[in-house]
Amino acid sequence: SAVISQKPSRDICQRGTSLTIQCQVDSQVTMMFWYRQQPGQSLTLIATANQGSEATYESGFVIDKFPISRPNLTFSTLTVSNMSPEDSSIYLCSVGDIGFYGYTFGSGTRLTVV
Amino acid sequence: LAKTTQPISMDSYEGQEVNITCSHNNIATNDYITWYQQFPSQGPRFIIQGYKTKVTNEVASLFIPADRKSSTLSLPRVSLSDTAVYYCLVGGVENTDKLIFGTGTRLQVFP
């Protein structure tokens, strides 16, 4: 299965600022997914990032708040913009592709907004 | 996408067998059933996947009845390190569809 490197692993940010999270995969993948996991909760899908096209956002998530880049088949970034304390969560990227045995997840970015 | 329903939490003791059942009444013909395990401060990890009947690997067994409207993850002889959240998901085996997570089952193993 794929190996994902997600950075940063954690950060503490001031409200009103932005943070960009990077997700690097060791192989080319078609689909990359970004999730948010609030403390004690399940994972909520933010968006699906397909290389060469704009990301597809789930209900409740908008591009202005969570812009996503997918410049190639091994890399993606998620930016959390104009942060507020409500954005404090763990953000995870995930990849899946034909031939993979299940989806692979990054270790997550623990974001605290103060 | 089929919705899944699982117990919110379960308790067990070391050495016992744990069975976690998941309901997925609206599973589609081409959907597979996949279970993931998540430890604190880590991303979910793939455990097992199946389509029908029984699947077994070195970690767990997955039992799927003929109607496929439910599935049971069986963990033999759990240890403290099996304390985690377990998620049941259904979807295509091509792994290009988005995954929608349910609540998961929080398993606590006691000594």
Side-chain angles (χ1 to χ4, degrees):
Chain A
S1 61
V3 176
I4 298 175
S5 174
Q6 186 172 341
K7 296 179 181 179
S9 59
R10 59 178 62 228
D11 207 340
I12 301 173
C13 300
Q14 297 291 324
R15 66 177 67 200
T17 63
S18 298
L19 175 71
T20 294
I21 302 168
Q22 299 181 359
C23 184
Q24 178 75 53
V25 191
D26 69 344
S27 57
Q28 294 184 339
V29 294
T30 305
M31 307 299 290
M32 296 183 77
F33 307 90
W34 287 96
Y35 290 85
R36 181 175 73 184
Q37 187 171 32
Q38 296 177 307
Q41 302 296 313
S42 180
L43 287 78
T44 300
L45 181 65
I46 297 172
T48 301
N50 195 0
Q51 195 270 335
S53 61
E54 281 197 7
T56 302
Y57 289 82
E58 297 297 306
S59 175
F61 298 96
V62 295
I63 187 171
D64 290 345
K65 176 68 175 178
F66 298 100
I68 290 171
S69 76
R70 183 83 201 274
N72 55 54
L73 291 174
T74 63
F75 188 77
S76 178
T77 67
L78 169 76
T79 298
V80 186
S81 303
N82 188 26
M83 289 184 286
S84 67
E86 291 71 34
D87 295 319
S88 297
S89 284
I90 298 172
Y91 293 85
L92 301 106
C93 67
S94 175
V95 301
D97 212 339
I98 297 174
F100 279 17
Y101 208 45
Y103 292 72
T104 304
F105 288 80
S107 55
T109 297
R110 182 179 295 273
L111 170 62
T112 302
V113 184
V114 297
Chain B
L1 294 166
K3 180 181 177 181
T4 60
T5 303
Q6 307 172 231
I8 296 295
S9 65
M10 294 182 69
D11 292 336
S12 184
Y13 292 92
E14 284 192 292
Q16 290 189 333
E17 178 184 75
V18 172
N19 296 307
I20 306 174
T21 298
C22 178
S23 296
H24 28 80
N25 291 317
N26 297 322
I27 189 169
T29 302
N30 59 350
D31 280 342
Y32 278 66
I33 300 152
T34 311
W35 286 78
Y36 289 83
Q37 175 191 56
Q38 186 179 27
F39 297 113
S41 301
Q42 295 185 25
R45 181 177 72 103
F46 171 88
I47 300 177
I48 196 166
Q49 183 180 73
Y51 184 81
K52 62 180 180 180
T53 63
K54 177 183 175 181
V55 179
T56 298
N57 61 22
E58 65 278 5
V59 176
S61 294
L62 178 58
F63 298 91
I64 305 168
D67 66 5
R68 303 197 332 119
K69 293 184 182 299
S70 67
S71 58
T72 299
L73 175 72
S74 181
L75 304 172
R77 297 179 299 282
V78 295
S79 65
L80 296 176
S81 62
D82 293 315
T83 294
V85 179
Y86 293 82
Y87 294 98
C88 161
L89 294 97
V90 296
V93 71
E94 289 80 10
N95 296 330
T96 54
D97 294 332
K98 58 186 180 182
L99 290 180
I100 303 299
F101 282 77
T103 58
T105 298
R106 188 174 300 273
L107 173 65
Q108 178 69 55
V109 180
F110 295 95

